[in-house]
Amino acid sequence: MLLARSINPTAPTMFKAKLSPYAKSYKAPRGATNAPPPSPGYRIDPAPKKLEWLLTPELRAGIRYAETRLSDLICQNDCQALEFKGYGKNFITSHGFSPDAFVQMAFQAAYFGLYGRIECTYEPAMTKAFLHGRTEAIRTVQPESVAFVKV
């Protein structure tokens, strides 16, 4: 429930379940002294087990409500793809640009053209070629990119 509330806190909910006292983020209510702390010997059995569900009418209604809400959210999205054949990677690299950076700037320019503002975005940068390389996040919105999209 915490994740769902962090995504859309204004979405209506049918469930008012309390957080389990065994959850890592559990905090006992103010003044409560009888909240059971997680036992130190608590061990999770990782062996697979068949889950048997007892679906009460209330639970079935909740699942149906969630399914309908999800369907409504999905139907609110629209996606169209346009295949651009004017030029491709060879044209971009022949001018000394990275194809990824070129497309990132196209996204920034398109967003600015549609909404009239610039949003902060991040892009993964691979450093696997180096010792202890990993994926880092880099900011794609810089003063130079802002000046570019405003032109």
Side-chain angles (χ1 to χ4, degrees):
M1 290 302 293
L2 289 178
L3 177 62
R5 285 188 197 129
S6 68
I7 293 172
N8 186 359
T10 61
T13 179
M14 294 178 64
F15 305 102
K16 300 289 182 192
K18 295 179 181 171
L19 191 61
S20 167
Y22 297 102
K24 289 182 180 179
S25 59
Y26 176 77
K27 292 181 182 165
R30 202 177 293 174
T33 57
N34 58 353
S39 60
Y42 184 71
R43 189 171 169 285
I44 297 173
D45 181 11
K49 295 171 185 60
K50 182 178 178 183
L51 298 176
E52 298 287 340
W53 300 98
L54 175 64
L55 298 178
T56 63
E58 294 83 13
L59 188 55
R60 285 184 190 274
I63 291 171
R64 181 69 184 142
Y65 174 80
E67 181 183 27
T68 305
R69 175 88 173 117
L70 179 61
S71 177
D72 290 345
L73 290 172
I74 290 170
C75 290
Q76 290 175 11
N77 291 301
D78 186 25
C79 180
Q80 295 180 359
L82 171 67
E83 186 176 347
F84 180 75
K85 296 183 179 182
Y87 52 85
K89 177 187 171 205
N90 293 336
F91 174 82
I92 296 168
T93 55
S94 70
H95 286 81
F97 296 112
S98 157
D100 187 55
F102 187 89
V103 171
Q104 188 62 237
M105 289 308 302
F107 286 151
Q108 295 287 342
Y111 191 90
F112 186 79
L114 286 170
Y115 303 108
R117 66 179 190 270
I118 298 158
E119 294 292 334
C120 291
T121 57
Y122 291 90
E123 171 140 344
M126 302 300 286
T127 59
K128 288 194 290 187
F130 304 101
L131 181 65
H132 305 298
R134 58 187 182 272
T135 303
E136 296 288 341
I138 58 171
R139 302 257 331 228
T140 58
V141 178
Q142 299 291 324
E144 296 82 6
S145 66
V146 172
F148 171 77
V149 298
K150 286 185 176 179
V151 169

